[in-house]
Structure formats: structure tokens, C-alpha cells
Amino acid sequence: MARQSERPAATGPAPAPPASTGTAPSTGTAPVTGQAPAAGTASALPAAPGAEPAIPGSRSAREPGRAIKPGRHGLPPETVADIQRDRLIDGFVQVVAEHGYTRTTISKITEAAGVTKKTFYVHFTEMDDCFLAAYQRGTGILLDRMAHAYHGAHSWPEGIRAGLRAMLEILAAEPLFARAALVEVNAAGPRLRKARIEHLARFRKFFTDPAYDLPSLPTVVIDAIIGGIYGAVYGAVEAGEGDRLPAMLPSLVYFALLPLGREEAAAQLDAGDPPSR
């Protein structure tokens, strides 16, 4: 069947990656609507041509190249606002990963971002607004990169492996965002928990790809697979062992492919897996 062979030859445009606006998951039993957040909630700054958008927290908000000169700097007001918002998001992730959400304050965020409290309130009404923007931006980038890796593979098992590999390597390389998005999000308010549930729901698309003859699984089974993988990743990050995430790939691929049958899933345990680029 198609799921066990190469991707079927395309007869039209290449399949689009799963849509993502950038929100994140939960392993709880709360109902999942899968609705995307309002448009424009967490748009990232435009990336330079050929450059990938940065995961929140991956850059210091106080890098010299991100500073705005006092006085006449010649930048349009909207550019200044974008730079300030971007720095606040990075500063938030850095502070919450270091101190924990319950010990994070707006003063610490603005100090890390190099802006005033007045500037913070121009962009966000409260701390959860800033957290939501960082969370949606980062999880949107993560899911987009996973989808790109998935669609570059020639079979469904290879696609699942490629997507999971991308996710694990990104989270291992971005420990501040991983800590904020997987661990500290639990201490945030209901909007963040809803965003996590919506984000997890978007992973269902990988298990219902019409390009392959996949088994028709109840949504609850798909959610259980997604939740199991999320729980394993969460456990490593919570324990401060995010650097071992890439080594978990064979086991997580095996778990994800079990609906295809034990033999096909087991074959992935021994599959060669060069690092993604």
C-alpha cells in the first residue's frame, strides 16, 4: 500500500504542509477543537531572504545589532515597534526559562529586553499576552519545520521519522524555548493551556495524510499517540535532560508507527538516521 512504499507520484501541486499559526499541546483530556487562533496574534518579524525565522529565546534581546539608537535613528515607527516586540518576546523566554513562570515579573522581562515598562504595555496587556505571543510564534516555527521535513520524505514512515527528528533536534538546540513551552506553560493561565491543546491537535494531520493509504484511526487513538510522544519529550525537558532528545528518536518513531503493525514499527528501530540538516 502507499503508506509502505514511496510517496505517490504527484499529479498536481505538491501537498501543502500542515497549516500552523503557532500554538501548543497538552496530554490532558480536555476537549480539542483544533481551531486556529485569531490571525495576526503572534506574527514573527519578516526573516531575511533565505533565512529561517528564529525560535523565541534563541537570541539575546540585548545583542548590539538589535539596539535602537536614541534620538534620530531614521527608523519608521512600525519598524521600531516590531523590534521592541521581538526583543520583549526573546527576553520573556530567557527570563521564564531561568527563573520559572511564577518568579517572572514584568520588570525582569523589560530589563532582559532593554526596554521600559511603558514599552511593554504598548505591546502587551499582561504577562500572559507576552507568553502567548512567544508560544504561538515558536510552536508555529517548530511545526512548519517538522512539516517541511515530513513532506521531503518518500514514504509515510520516513516522513514521520523526519518530522520527529526535526522536532527533537530543534528542542535540544533551543533549551530556553523548550523549557518555557513544555514546562513553564503549565503554570500560566487558561489561554496558554488552550493554546497548547490547539497546538497538539495540529499534529493529527501527520496521521491522516490523504497522500497515503493510512489506517483509519479514531481521533482518540491519534491523540493518545501524540500525547504519549509529548509526555516523553516533556519528561526529558522537565528533568533538564533536553540534550538527550535526539537519542529518543528510534523509540518515538516505533511508538508512532505501531498502528501500521509491530513489524513495520520495529523496522524503524534499526533504521539508519543521519542527523538532519
Side-chain angles (χ1 to χ4, degrees):
M1 290 185 289
R3 68 174 183 272
Q4 296 172 337
S5 60
E6 294 186 352
R7 180 179 290 276
T11 56
S20 76
T21 55
T23 20
S26 157
T27 56
T29 57
V32 180
T33 64
Q35 295 177 344
T41 304
S43 59
L45 290 176
E52 291 186 329
I55 294 285
S58 62
R59 301 178 297 164
S60 169
R62 287 182 169 270
E63 285 179 0
R66 307 178 75 184
I68 300 173
K69 295 179 182 180
R72 297 175 65 87
H73 44 64
L75 295 174
E78 59 270 19
T79 299
V80 173
D82 284 345
I83 292 172
Q84 290 174 336
R85 179 181 174 87
D86 200 37
R87 285 166 54 183
L88 281 164
I89 288 173
D90 281 331
F92 173 85
V93 172
Q94 291 155 9
V95 170
V96 80
E98 178 182 355
H99 298 283
Y101 183 77
T102 58
R103 292 189 295 276
T104 293
T105 64
I106 291 174
S107 294
K108 289 178 181 177
I109 297 168
T110 55
E111 181 180 357
V115 301
T116 64
K117 284 188 178 180
K118 180 180 179 181
T119 298
F120 178 92
Y121 285 111
V122 167
H123 298 281
F124 306 108
T125 59
E126 59 175 353
M127 211 158 61
D128 270 8
D129 277 347
C130 190
F131 200 165
L132 188 63
Y135 186 81
Q136 290 181 323
R137 178 182 296 183
T139 54
I141 293 169
L142 178 67
L143 193 57
D144 285 345
R145 293 184 187 174
M146 289 180 67
H148 179 77
Y150 170 85
H151 285 289
H154 296 292
S155 70
W156 187 73
E158 290 174 3
I160 292 296
R161 188 180 192 88
L164 285 174
R165 182 174 62 241
M167 178 188 74
L168 296 173
E169 290 185 355
I170 290 168
L171 292 176
E174 303 291 351
L176 300 183
F177 177 74
R179 182 82 191 178
L182 275 80
V183 179
E184 297 305 327
V185 69
N186 294 321
R191 287 189 299 155
L192 269 297
R193 294 192 292 273
K194 181 176 183 287
R196 180 178 56 187
I197 291 171
E198 291 171 344
H199 173 68
L200 280 176
R202 294 186 178 96
F203 285 85
R204 295 173 183 165
K205 296 179 183 291
F206 293 109
F207 295 89
T208 58
D209 187 346
Y212 298 107
D213 181 21
L214 299 172
S216 180
L217 299 175
T219 300
V220 68
V221 174
I222 295 174
D223 286 349
I225 296 169
I226 296 168
I229 293 171
Y230 180 86
V233 173
Y234 167 87
V237 173
E238 199 280 335
E241 299 175 353
D243 57 342
R244 71 178 177 88
L245 287 174
M248 295 165 56
L249 177 64
S251 297
L252 295 183
V253 174
Y254 171 80
F255 181 69
L257 298 185
L258 277 176
L260 292 186
R262 189 175 298 273
E263 289 184 6
E264 181 150 354
Q268 291 294 319
L269 287 172
D270 301 320
D273 191 64
S276 63
R277 291 289 185 260

